[in-house]
Amino acid sequence: MFTLKSAFCVALLALCLPAYAASCSFDAYIEDDDLYSSKGVKLSTVGQIIRQDRANFYTAAAGTGDSPDYCGFDKAHNREALQKIIDKSKINKATQNRIKRGNVNVTVNIINGRTAQVSTYD
């Protein structure tokens, strides 16, 4: 149920994102590791999976001394905002199912820090 409180929280999340991330895009490859939290718990939403992918991506990048800053999702609080934006967005079932199975390329477009378009490709 989407309440006024939920709408307010989502609006505040948009303020947490850096200005350049309010509208940005990135591609990702969802691997098996992205389907589970760092505690080994199976993730259940597309937002959780993409959030975990970004966490894994930045952890791996930090290990190489490279620190890319795509859309500001190198910060944990921004990944939390990303998850919430994705989870409240409309994503068709086929796309959700492909992401939940893993081993798929994903494009994420954040629009005005409020909604996301998520698609998969080969």
Side-chain angles (χ1 to χ4, degrees):
M1 176 178 204
F2 197 73
T3 64
L4 182 59
K5 181 180 177 184
S6 298
F8 180 72
C9 290
V10 169
L12 283 178
L13 287 172
L15 296 175
C16 295
L17 294 175
Y20 59 88
S23 293
C24 75
S25 298
F26 63 89
D27 291 318
Y29 183 75
I30 304 301
E31 300 180 70
D32 290 338
D33 288 350
D34 300 325
L35 303 177
Y36 297 88
S37 74
S38 54
K39 295 179 180 177
V41 176
K42 177 86 167 152
L43 302 174
S44 60
T45 71
V46 170
Q48 290 173 335
I49 293 166
I50 293 174
R51 176 183 181 176
Q52 186 65 42
D53 168 78
R54 295 293 81 192
N56 292 343
F57 176 80
Y58 287 107
T59 299
T64 64
D66 191 14
S67 184
D69 188 21
Y70 303 116
C71 302
F73 298 127
D74 55 326
K75 307 284 188 272
H77 67 276
N78 289 342
R79 291 192 298 269
E80 179 181 1
L82 171 68
Q83 175 188 333
K84 291 179 181 181
I85 289 168
I86 290 172
D87 283 341
K88 77 163 194 69
S89 298
K90 294 180 180 176
I91 303 168
N92 73 53
K93 283 288 188 196
T95 298
Q96 289 181 43
N97 289 337
R98 283 192 291 272
I99 292 169
K100 289 177 181 180
R101 283 193 302 270
N103 298 309
V104 65
N105 292 296
V106 175
T107 297
V108 178
N109 297 304
I110 305 296
I111 303 160
N112 297 324
R114 294 183 178 168
T115 191
Q117 292 175 333
V118 180
S119 58
T120 57
Y121 62 96
D122 293 325

